[in-house]
Amino acid sequence: MAKADKDGIIRDRRTGIVLARKHRHPLADLFKDVPMGEGLPGLHMGLPEVEHLLAIHVFDNMDCSPPRNPLYRAVPDPDSLNATGTDRVIYVPVDTPNPVAVEEADEQIFVADISDYDADQMAALKLQIQQKEIADKMLEQADPHVRGEGDL
């Protein structure tokens, strides 16, 4: 036999084990896209129900305390909808500022179709992007006259 208490938590009357909740567990999002390492996508649980059940198991039935001083926090992954078709999150250090919303371009931006690239072409493309990012960062950090913004 189970009965819901005033908070919508449904417990087994005999054991006290939480069987369900009428609403999503407030800590369920802690199990959304669990980080697996830098440059890797988060471990996606597949369904929000799985996150909910994990939260019930860990926090209600195992009596683990919620995080007190987390080192990182979840932020929406702006690229996830295009890449995976679902809204996902990425984890960033707690002190990372929130991203500034970027205005959508008035016109569509076209890039090369890389869907037929083989592993060697993908590696070359990644290297080219990395080199461009490094060059841009160096220019960004250069003195104004090197950037062409000031007098000599």
Side-chain angles (χ1 to χ4, degrees), residues 89-126:
V89 297
I90 54 176
Y91 288 86
V92 297
V94 171
D95 58 353
T96 302
N98 287 328
V100 176
V102 178
E103 299 294 306
E104 288 193 32
D106 290 337
E107 60 187 64
Q108 189 173 3
I109 300 171
F110 294 95
V111 296
D113 179 9
I114 62 170
S115 58
D116 293 329
Y117 279 23
D118 62 22
D120 290 338
Q121 290 171 308
M122 289 299 293
L125 179 61
K126 287 178 184 178

Side-chain angles (χ1 to χ4, degrees), residues 26-105:
L27 299 173
D29 285 344
L30 293 177
F31 296 97
K32 186 174 183 137
D33 299 324
V34 177
M36 296 193 326
E38 188 173 336
L40 297 173
L43 174 63
H44 186 58
M45 298 301 159
L47 298 170
E49 292 84 358
V50 174
E51 300 160 1
H52 173 72
L53 291 172
L54 283 170
I56 288 173
H57 174 68
V58 170
F59 299 113
D60 293 340
N61 293 327
M62 300 304 290
D63 199 26
C64 293
S65 62
R68 289 189 176 88
N69 296 308
L71 301 176
Y72 54 88
R73 62 185 172 89
V75 296
D77 181 354
D79 301 322
S80 66
L81 196 55
N82 289 336
T84 66
T86 59
D87 287 322
R88 307 277 293 269
V89 297
I90 54 176
Y91 288 86
V92 297
V94 171
D95 58 353
T96 302
N98 287 328
V100 176
V102 178
E103 299 294 306
E104 288 193 32

